[in-house]
């Protein structure tokens, strides 16, 4: 029998190398044409504990993780204890024979006979590949590209461990026990997670400066930028704290470098004064907040969608902003580009809200058409329309001609106090009104550029599921499952949650028989925001706040409760 | 040729008799002496009476948040290494709210000049103790006297082997202008801590008080001698040395970034071919 | 002719002593039984500029500032230029004869003949007192209590300048030109502004620790606490920054001292991570935000109501809170008490939102019944119900028995990570759900304790004015004026804006023919919040955001536009 | 009599071989040597691997935000001066995010013991440079090498005349326990910077690296001699001194607050009569 869809989980302690083999397996699968959804679960520690690397593989277009496990690759006994109950009907366990797992679903592999302890993870990889009936040569190739540069001796041992495992699997009737159905001829694709896509998107848009203070799950965005910094001509600086990070980025942006900062909720809390400064000085800045469960330190390595309202209102005083909430890896790329463009266009703070689940979720993605995706247009050298130059000249759309300091004889003055058109501090209260109005006029431009929420399904459905950001995938899959069941279901997915333009979606809410919101938080933040902006009360909500991503199973269970 | 007039004359919001006026004068002198045109210079300031100073100069200015001028200046300098970047703000701003950035700037040795109007008080907020207020000083907010020891920025900067560490006095304008000029010329981070009488709120450390105590370092003083410098940095009270207390020819922060040798970041095109290569590493 | 109501404005440069004479006049008037509303307008500088000290005096109960000026006491020519157009029909100017004011409403006083330059402000005070027909002896007495302790020579010169002015006024027919109608026999009252009332309220509730970083307009709260610190056994510490301030206060509260912090928007921005920490560690904390116009430094000495939504959503992650918004000086006192009580009761962050206008607005206030107002009940010594002690024991109302570290052998463990009942860090995701639910259960307690908005007027009015915080006074006066005009008007004033309990007010909104919200901000934040919580759209809004407080005149003008 | 067992044994989340284990051991030894009962002590920590340490001690604990342990400790100590308050956290926490609080604590000289697990790296976030990482050290986040000079906490603390300034090494448990004991006994602020190998991310400053370099200060070393101390504080590289480098018998911060002589703040009744008097000043 061949399987179109297999959900495999590699489990063990931090430090056992499970992410490495997970990545190799993921890449090998994508090279053969499969689609994947990776979810990573790890603890706030470096060694020990219980971590998993979960790959859902399919010949079809999948969008979300799955709960039931078809293949459990257990690097320790705890993994079996924790996940045994999740096994599907065809579910199977791969474990070291010496762990003595009393389960007839377990393929007991004599790890010690097949390789040195250091290479147990590769053995597990090999057995898994074999069980899936997967061509071992592809794994070998991927393994090479992973370890190639390093020690050739290690490379050789890796290869040996792999072929030994395949041999053992074949001899012991494990090969092909969960054979994957073949794929159509594969297009070349990338294996990319949300944070990698953000980094690529930022570079394609011409980001030139980035300052950061490390914080999970945002750090990998920065590490990806740093890795490319020399080649792409970026400066990425680790700041002394998040306050420094946001102010440095503002300084760099003021001086003409498209800039971004990336952090998580707690670090963003320290940037809030800087957000307000970006608005007042009208300095472009992209702020990426990778959410994790709070309050305070919370669950630092888990996922949540708990900071929407916080980000929407962060900063003292009043000013416009925009918030993008990508739902897919591709959208991480495109919305980061859009955020950088929009920041330069409206000259102020623009947000991208992601979360740990999406940050770490690798997918198969078609390469982006980088040749045809232009970076943001550089500013700052055109002649000023009025002399002497007025940095904050009053304009119809609220956006003033922007010059850069030092590029011409025109002087650029920016001020955090209320200021006159030339940027100097003022106590003239009539000017105050003009400047407040000017800044608010940008909201119109932001509204005109809003990405409408995506509606899928017939008009007037029995059930409309409303969601945002990374919960999009699970919601779409839940809807598909319900439709298969004969139900009349539609979905409305927001990849921009601010500004909200009611004409883009209110009719859908009104026409559905029942509306249910689905969010990865405890208080239903999008639902509340929708009511504030449209008056429409979403009467029923599905919420998750245990630190794990939503799944279609979770949603379906909640709907039938 | 640039002249003092190019830097303009403005009405200020300062109190008559404030030490800030002399500092403003010295800054202008130094800029002209360094032949810097107004558009070549970027001032970055925070919030406070001192932080208003660059508003009274005809030049580029980013007047940001209280305590945050150093990070803004750092970002600007990294984005455009052609700019002469000068931080100008108060003691509260730079050593209080912004203390962590001060440490980081010393470690980085980035090519920024930092002018601190040190009036040993929070002026704009009406006279609370600042980090440099002398222990025991009585203010409305410290009616029993300041309970903490005063922060000695010179000592910390020398202990951390900062690029250039100097002290000036608003009552010695030409000497101060010369210090500022040297600070701008110094390739690396240069601190000029400037003793500045606040006639409205600091009735202890007055013009007369400073005048009596400030003395110029002798001509044979060697600022590259760290041990001498750290000792000199301790002098405070009856005698207060002014001048360049320490100098350290460390490499500049900027020199660690090859990309900065090609000029400002925003002026460099995005290498799409390279990015395509980078993207394909994910294939 | 005698006047029931006189609006007088003292104007001049910072440093001319106008606040001093304003305070003396205000106190003298209150001692004679008048009611006052003081508004102070000043610039962000120490000397120079243009400042005013405005006292509206009345025999009646007044609640708000007034725009038209009856008596302009000009310490310089600029004051006349700026305020001449505000003069009422009976309006009059007092100015130095040498200023050469060409205005027949001007009483030209030969200042130089009456006193030394140093005492010009006292001359102005004397003339003003005389013009009001006010008993000079009362002013002299108040003057004495102000300057008594200092130099007796100065005191004598003050007195002399005062009597000279009265003499001059009498001789030159200025005495009694705007005679105040007499008052009923005065009750002893305090002259208190919002910040002074907050400080008194906090001390009466037993506040023991306060950490701060100076920031206008919050600083005077702290200065009032500091002045009483030794006598009342408080520790008030100036922190190195606002982050330190909030964390210090949390440390002190954790160790058993009822604690508060006070700041303004920009300083509060730096405390946001600490707010989230207070919620997660369930540490009582009162946070006072004295609003001023933003974004960023904005107009640092002016007023605004722009931070409601910011404060409501400040902090990463999700957790309950309460926000009080006093509308009067008395309410500053009582709500500060309530905030401290509630913080101890629900163990978390509780907010008090005031603003520059209210902070600086002195009023005549009856002394508080301090004898009968108990401080908050101290916690921490009772025996724990379960052993070993569980700081975060799960309870029905979400509040766990709280002990203090060091007071018994029971150990107290608080954690910013998600934690088990005993306070230790956990990665158990079932515990996570329990703890989130536990924290949210406190919202019920908060809701049950909500102070209902005050409704005044008949049911089913033609017009309902809705407001919050310090704008209450102007709104009540505007309503009174409209009623006098025969209109059918009601008011709804929120002195607590979160949680909102719709049963307390929705019917009022629904029953009014027209509803208009009145707020001191540009975007209508309370109106938006009301819609979010009730679905009710307030169709029309009066907003002010030029840095000045609302007035009934402003509201009436806006309503007729 | 309190014993090591009273402080419990817990499973940790640390990597096998980490220097933290020895520090935990030394801390327990010091607490017992000082005869402190678990409930008399309050540990305050931030976020990081080091900051988890107090979770493995049976005592009072406030485990707060990254970088903010000193302010929390300061507040707790002022609220209840009967508590022995110990800050325990990492180099990133205390010298990076929390740098400004470090300066303020030195100025205050508040009676807190500050234990810094200095592994010269950000451990919990997987190996970025920390403020104490040696210049040039290569990490994933600094592939071209750390561009800033390393922060020398000892030098800054001595330059600021801190109360007690010491360095320990996780590889010398008894010596370290003794230092911690002295720090707890010291009336005022006491820093113990503890060199701590991180086996997972710092492959330069390893156990062997430190072991080779660390030497105990000779018995005739006089920590009250500031000039000797500031020189000693500069030593790093081939030879690294451990021990009490500086001691300064300044008055404690607490001594400036007469109210603290009456015990904890929360235990003192509210004097309503006095408050009535204060209120009537506004009449
Ligand atoms: C985050 C923040 N906190 C507090 C303030 C209020 N504030 C403005 S200026 C100032 C102190 C200024 O002192 P200093 O830097 O010494 O300047 P000076 O006025 O003495 O020249 C403070 C505390 C602020 N603007 N922002
Ligand atoms: C405000 C904030 N910024 C960033 C982080 C992420 N973070 C957690 S631990 C850590 C670094 C820890 O380094 P260190 O203090 O040296 O401790 P170690 O893990 O090395 O013991 C960082 C940056 C955080 N929790 N909070
Ligand atoms: S308050 Fe002090 S520092 Fe500020 S302008 Fe006046 S004298 Fe100068
Ligand atoms: S990462 Fe380093 S510091 Fe953290 S536990 Fe492991 S070895 Fe220790
Ligand atoms: Mg100052
Ligand atoms: Mg560390």
């Amino acid at each position: 029998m061949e399987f179109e869809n297999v959900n495999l989980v590699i489990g063990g302690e931090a430090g056992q190398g499970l992410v490495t083999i997970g990545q190799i397996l993921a890449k090998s699968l994508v090279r053969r044409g499969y689609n994947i959804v990776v979810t990573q679960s790890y603890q706030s520690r470096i060694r020990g504990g219980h971590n998993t690397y979960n790959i859902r593989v399919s010949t079809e277009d999948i969008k979300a993780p799955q709960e039931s496990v078809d293949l459990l690759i257990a690097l320790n006994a705890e993994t079996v204890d924790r996940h045994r109950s999740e096994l599907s009907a065809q579910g199977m366990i791969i474990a070291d024979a010496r762990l003595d797992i009393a389960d007839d679903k377990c393929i007991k592999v004599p790890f010690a006979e097949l390789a040195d302890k250091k290479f147990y993870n590769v053995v597990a990889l090999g057995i898994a590949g074999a069980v899936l009936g997967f061509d071992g040569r592809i794994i070998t190739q991927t393994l090479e590209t992973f370890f190639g540069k390093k020690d050739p001796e290690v490379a050789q041992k890796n290869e040996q461990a792999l072929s030994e495992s395949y041999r053992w699997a074949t001899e012991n009737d494990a090969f092909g026990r969960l054979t994957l159905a073949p794929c159509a001829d594969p297009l070349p694709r990338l294996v990319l997670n949300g944070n990698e896509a953000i980094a690529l998107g930022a570079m394609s848009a011409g980001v030139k400066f980035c300052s950061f203070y490390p914080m999970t799950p945002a750090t990998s965005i920065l590490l990806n930028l740093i890795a490319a910094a020399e080649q792409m001509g970026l400066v990425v600086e680790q700041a002394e704290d998040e306050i420094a990070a946001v102010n440095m980025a503002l300084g760099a942006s003021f001086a003409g470098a498209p800039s971004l900062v990336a952090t998580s909720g707690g670090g963003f809390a320290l940037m809030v004064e800087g957000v307000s400064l970006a608005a007042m000085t009208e300095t472009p800045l992209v702020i990426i907040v990778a959410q994790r469960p709070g309050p305070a330190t919370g669950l630092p390595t888990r996922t949540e969608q708990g900071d929407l309202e916080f980000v929407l209102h962060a900063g003292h005083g009043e000013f416009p902003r925009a918030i993008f909430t990508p739902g897919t890896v591709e959208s991480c790329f495109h919305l980061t580009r859009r955020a950088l463009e929009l920041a330069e266009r409206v000259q102020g703070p623009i947000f991208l809200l992601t979360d740990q689940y999406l940050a770490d979720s690798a997918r198969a993605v078609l390469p982006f058409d980088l040749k045809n995706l232009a970076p943001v247009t550089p500013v700052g050298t055109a002649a000023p329309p009025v002399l002497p130059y007025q940095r904050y000249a009053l304009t119809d759309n609220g956006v003033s001609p922007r010059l850069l300091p030092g590029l011409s004889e025109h002087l650029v003055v920016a001020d955090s106090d209320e200021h006159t058109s030339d940027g100097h501090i003022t106590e003239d209260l009539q000017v105050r009104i003009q400047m407040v109005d000017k800044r608010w006029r940008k909201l119109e431009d932001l509204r005109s550029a809003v990405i409408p929420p995506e509606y899928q399904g017939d008009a007037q459905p029995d059930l409309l599921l409303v969601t945002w950001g990374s919960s999009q995938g699970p919601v779409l899959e839940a809807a598909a499952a319900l439709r298969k069941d004969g139900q009349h279901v539609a979905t409305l997915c927001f990849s921009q949650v601010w500004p909200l333009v009611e004409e883009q979606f209110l009719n859908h809410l009104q026409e559905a028989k029942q509306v249910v919101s689905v969010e990865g938080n405890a208080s239903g933040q999008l639902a509340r925001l929708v009511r504030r902006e449209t008056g429409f009360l979403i009467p029923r909500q599905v919420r998750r706040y245990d630190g794990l991503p939503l799944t279609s199973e979770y949603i379906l269970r909640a709907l039938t409760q | 040729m640039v002249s003092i007039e190019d830097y303009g004359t403005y009405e200020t919001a300062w109190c008559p008799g404030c030490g800030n006026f002399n500092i403003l004068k010295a800054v202008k002198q130094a800029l002209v002496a360094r032949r810097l045109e107004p558009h070549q210079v970027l001032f970055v300031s925070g919030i406070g009476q001192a932080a208003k100073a660059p508003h009274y100069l005809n030049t580029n200015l980013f007047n940001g948040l209280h305590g945050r001028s150093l990070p803004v200046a750092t970002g600007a300098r990294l984005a455009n290494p052609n700019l002469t970047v000068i931080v100008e703000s108060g003691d509260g701003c730079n050593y209080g709210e912004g203390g962590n950035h001060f440490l980081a700037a010393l470690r980085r040795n980035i090519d920024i000049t930092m002018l601190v109007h040190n009036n040993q008080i929070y002026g704009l907020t009406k006279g609370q103790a600042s980090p440099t207020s002398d222990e025991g000083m009585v203010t409305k907010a410290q009616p029993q006297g300041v309970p903490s020891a005063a922060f000695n920025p010179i000592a910390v900067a020398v202990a951390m082997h900062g690029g250039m560490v100097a002290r000036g006095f608003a009552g010695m304008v030409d000497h101060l202008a010369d210090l500022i000029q040297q600070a701008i010329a110094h390739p690396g981070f240069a601190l000029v801590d400037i003793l500045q009488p606040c006639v409205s709120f600091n009735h202890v450390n007055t013009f007369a008080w400073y005048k009596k105590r400030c003395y110029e370092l002798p001509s044979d003083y060697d600022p590259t001698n760290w041990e001498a410098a750290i000792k000199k940095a301790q002098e405070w009270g009856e005698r207060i040395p002014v001048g360049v207390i320490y100098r350290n020819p460390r490499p500049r922060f900027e020199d660690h970034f090859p990309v900065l040798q090609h000029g400002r970041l925003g002026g460099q095109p995005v290498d799409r071919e390279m990015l395509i290569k980078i993207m394909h590493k994910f294939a």
Side-chain angles (χ1 to χ4, degrees), chain A, chain B:
Chain A
M1 190 182 154
E2 290 184 342
F3 295 88
E4 303 284 341
N5 186 83
V6 169
N7 189 29
L8 63 90
V9 170
I10 311 170
E13 290 184 13
Q16 286 190 307
L18 62 93
V19 173
T20 309
I21 61 167
Q23 287 175 342
I24 292 168
L25 191 53
K27 193 156 267 191
S28 306
L29 290 162
V30 171
R31 285 184 174 172
R32 269 304 293 121
Y34 294 99
N35 290 308
I36 58 169
V37 171
V38 168
T39 35
Q40 299 191 46
S41 154
Y42 46 98
Q43 299 186 338
S44 183
R45 58 193 290 168
I46 306 304
R47 290 281 146 77
H50 177 67
N51 292 4
T52 61
Y53 190 97
N54 183 330
I55 312 175
R56 184 174 167 210
V57 196
S58 181
T59 56
E60 281 155 48
D61 179 27
I62 48 174
K63 299 174 187 335
Q66 172 186 315
E67 292 180 2
S68 69
V69 177
D70 303 311
L71 184 57
L72 180 64
I73 302 154
L75 300 184
N76 60 6
E78 186 182 356
T79 299
V80 181
D81 292 344
R82 284 184 178 245
H83 299 278
R84 174 185 272 132
S85 65
E86 295 161 11
L87 285 181
S88 62
Q90 70 267 27
M92 223 163 274
I93 302 171
I94 297 172
D96 190 339
R98 284 175 315 173
L99 291 182
D100 210 14
I101 309 293
D103 198 317
D104 54 7
K105 293 176 155 191
C106 187
I107 303 175
K108 296 173 188 176
V109 185
F111 275 61
E113 291 171 19
L114 302 176
D116 285 356
K117 188 149 194 221
K118 232 180 115 186
F119 300 91
Y120 278 11
N121 62 340
V122 181
V123 172
L125 172 66
I127 303 288
V131 169
L132 295 172
F134 194 83
D135 186 340
R137 283 167 307 179
I138 293 177
I139 301 183
T140 310
Q141 277 165 23
T142 314
L143 203 72
E144 266 171 19
T145 52
F146 248 75
F147 289 106
K149 296 162 213 157
K150 288 190 205 163
D151 198 337
E153 198 186 324
V154 171
Q156 194 247 317
K157 287 218 170 148
N158 270 322
E159 231 169 281
Q160 198 179 329
L162 199 69
S163 65
E164 277 297 288
S165 328
Y166 261 81
R167 185 191 51 74
W168 184 90
T170 315
E171 289 173 5
N172 290 273
D173 203 22
F175 191 93
R177 296 261 300 266
L178 277 176
T179 296
L180 284 167
C183 270
D185 239 9
L187 288 171
R189 286 173 310 164
L190 316 170
V191 178
L192 214 61
N193 67 31
N195 277 2
E196 290 161 345
I198 288 172
L200 280 180
M203 289 189 285
S204 82
V207 77
K208 288 290 181 184
F209 184 87
C210 172
S211 39
F212 74 103
Y213 190 82
M215 192 157 192
T216 309
T219 312
S220 63
I221 298 171
L222 294 325
L223 292 179
N224 275 286
L225 291 176
I226 289 166
E230 269 210 30
Q231 294 166 304
M232 292 302 298
L234 322 176
V235 169
V236 184
E237 169 60 0
Q238 184 175 321
E240 55 272 28
D241 55 35
E242 287 86 351
I243 305 174
V246 71
N247 280 284
M248 266 186 211
L250 286 172
S253 176
F254 173 72
S259 298
L260 68 76
V261 293
T263 182
S264 184
F268 175 65
L270 294 166
M271 296 187 176
V272 164
E273 197 190 10
V275 171
S276 184
L277 179 64
M280 189 58 148
T281 57
E282 307 195 30
T283 307
L285 183 64
V286 170
I287 300 152
I288 300 172
V289 180
Q291 298 162 102
R292 64 191 217 187
T297 312
L299 290 169
T301 59
R302 309 290 174 170
T303 202
E304 191 161 281
Q305 297 184 292
D307 293 332
L308 194 169
E309 291 178 315
F310 174 34
V311 166
L312 177 56
H313 302 102
H316 54 299
E318 302 177 287
F319 49 87
R321 73 191 83 200
I323 307 176
F324 295 104
T325 51
T328 63
V329 169
E330 286 89 345
S331 161
C332 284
F333 175 91
H334 292 292
L335 292 182
T336 302
R337 285 181 51 81
R338 182 122 177 171
L340 278 154
E341 278 162 14
L342 203 58
E344 297 286 324
R345 170 163 139 194
V346 300
Q347 303 179 7
I350 305 289
F351 294 89
L352 188 96
L353 225 65
T354 177
D355 53 43
Q356 178 269 330
Y357 155 58
L358 188 56
D360 290 331
S361 183
R363 316 274 172 101
V365 169
L366 285 173
F368 301 104
D369 182 13
L370 292 178
K371 262 210 195 81
N372 293 308
L373 291 170
V376 297
T377 324
V379 291
T381 43
V386 191
L387 285 176
Y389 172 55
Q390 309 279 305
R391 172 65 189 92
Y392 301 109
L394 298 174
T395 58
D396 284 348
N397 66 359
V399 177
S400 311
R402 181 166 169 241
L403 295 190
L404 300 180
L407 294 206
S408 71
E409 302 211 334
H410 305 297
L411 301 176
V412 186
V413 178
D415 194 359
S416 75
D417 295 272
E418 195 54 275
H419 39 253
T420 46
S421 298
D422 66 4
H424 283 292
I425 186 170
T426 186
E427 301 245 13
D428 183 323
L429 304 183
Q430 284 315 110
V431 173
R432 161 72 180 175
I433 297 174
Q434 290 171 348
M435 284 294 163
V436 172
D437 292 346
K438 162 192 155 59
R439 288 188 291 269
W440 274 117
R441 281 202 291 279
K442 298 181 182 183
L443 186 59
E444 275 321 300
D445 194 15
L446 289 172
R447 285 176 62 90
S448 75
V450 163
I451 299 173
E454 201 175 335
Y455 185 84
Q456 282 184 23
D458 307 334
Q460 299 164 342
D462 291 334
L463 172 65
L464 173 62
L465 297 175
V466 180
T467 195
W468 61 284
S470 72
S471 297
Q472 169 182 320
V475 164
L476 292 176
E477 292 211 344
L482 290 169
R483 282 194 207 105
K484 248 195 198 150
D485 239 39
Q487 295 188 44
H488 200 53
V489 181
T491 55
L492 185 67
C493 301
F494 287 80
S495 58
Q496 180 170 2
V497 294
W498 192 256
L500 286 184
V501 179
E502 101 179 5
E503 301 78 51
Q504 293 179 340
F505 61 87
L506 182 57
N507 63 324
H508 296 308
L509 297 174
Q510 288 165 336
E511 285 169 13
K513 267 218 191 91
Q514 204 200 348
V515 181
V516 176
S517 66
V518 182
E519 302 187 53
N521 60 46
S523 73
Q525 300 191 25
L526 177 71
R528 207 148 48 194
L529 189 57
V530 164
R531 191 179 195 198
R532 188 184 91 174
E533 296 302 307
T534 67
F536 189 91
L537 176 69
I538 299 182
R540 194 168 164 201
Q541 308 190 350
V542 174
R543 305 166 185 175
R544 180 165 208 173
Y545 48 94
D546 61 357
L548 298 177
L550 280 154
T551 60
S552 65
E553 294 98 319
Y554 185 101
I555 298 167
L556 296 173
R557 274 196 307 275
L559 287 174
T560 53
Q561 255 159 25
Chain B
M1 264 288 287
V2 66
S3 73
I4 295 273
E5 287 65 44
D6 292 331
Y7 281 98
T9 331
Y10 294 78
E11 223 183 287
T12 81
W14 291 327
C15 314
C18 175
N20 285 337
F21 292 101
N22 276 355
I23 301 177
L24 183 62
K25 207 163 150 190
V27 167
K28 287 187 192 173
Q29 285 181 23
L31 292 168
V32 171
R34 293 240 33 90
R35 300 183 188 207
L36 285 161
E37 306 270 352
H39 73 274
Q40 298 174 312
V41 186
L42 169 63
F43 276 79
V44 181
S45 73
I47 297 298
Q49 296 284 60
K52 289 177 187 160
H55 276 289
Y56 312 139
L57 283 170
N58 192 42
T59 181
N60 296 300
L61 166 61
F62 190 100
N63 180 10
L65 301 170
H66 182 60
R68 314 303 170 191
S69 24
L70 275 170
V72 170
T74 302
R77 176 84 199 137
L78 291 172
N80 185 355
N82 304 324
L83 285 169
T84 295
V85 179
I86 301 176
V87 160
E88 186 168 15
S89 223
D91 46 333
C93 207
N94 283 316
Y95 306 139
E97 186 83 74
N100 205 30
H101 314 308
F102 179 57
L103 297 180
L106 285 164
R107 291 181 48 224
R108 284 194 184 96
N109 196 36
I110 187 161
D111 197 349
I112 288 174
T113 295
M114 179 179 185
L115 307 178
V116 183
H117 296 216
N118 183 356
N119 55 8
Q120 304 190 251
I121 202 85
Y122 284 6
L124 188 56
T125 48
K126 305 200 169 173
Q128 303 81 20
S130 93
T132 54
S133 293
D134 289 322
E135 196 169 339
M137 182 190 208
V138 171
T139 80
K140 255 198 195 163
Q142 284 79 24
Q144 262 65 50
V146 173
S148 289
F151 182 66
N152 182 339
I154 305 283
V156 168
V158 175
M160 290 178 69
H161 298 263
M164 171 178 147
V165 185
R167 179 188 285 122
F169 168 39
M172 298 161 66
V173 178
D174 292 337
H175 179 262
L176 177 59
D178 180 60
L179 285 181
I180 296 172
Q181 214 200 124
Q182 290 189 52
I184 296 173
H186 178 83
F189 184 68
L191 165 70
V192 189
D193 185 75
I194 306 167
L195 302 176
Q196 174 236 322
C198 165
V199 298
S200 289
F201 295 112
N202 189 335
H203 302 299
V204 177
N205 312 102
T206 61
F207 249 112
W209 192 93
Y210 288 124
K211 204 156 197 169
K212 202 174 121 189
R213 289 163 171 81
C214 288
Y215 74 94
E216 284 186 45
L217 287 168
S219 59
D220 64 349
Y221 177 82
D222 174 10
T224 65
N225 178 338
W226 183 85
E227 293 196 9
I230 192 79
K231 257 187 241 170
K232 203 36 94 186
Q234 298 303 309
E235 239 180 86
W236 182 265
E238 288 319 297
R239 306 256 299 150
I240 302 174
V242 296
V244 178
I245 288 169
Y246 182 61
R247 246 183 213 291
N248 176 5
R250 286 161 56 188
R252 302 180 317 164
F253 189 68
E254 294 86 330
D255 303 335
H256 295 278
F257 296 87
V259 53
L260 293 183
Q261 279 150 29
H262 310 125
R264 69 183 189 92
L265 296 176
Q268 300 178 35
V270 177
D271 183 345
R272 297 200 214 178
E273 291 306 321
M274 178 57 79
L275 188 58
I276 291 171
K277 270 191 207 147
I278 291 170
M279 177 176 73
H280 280 293
K281 285 194 194 148
F282 292 99

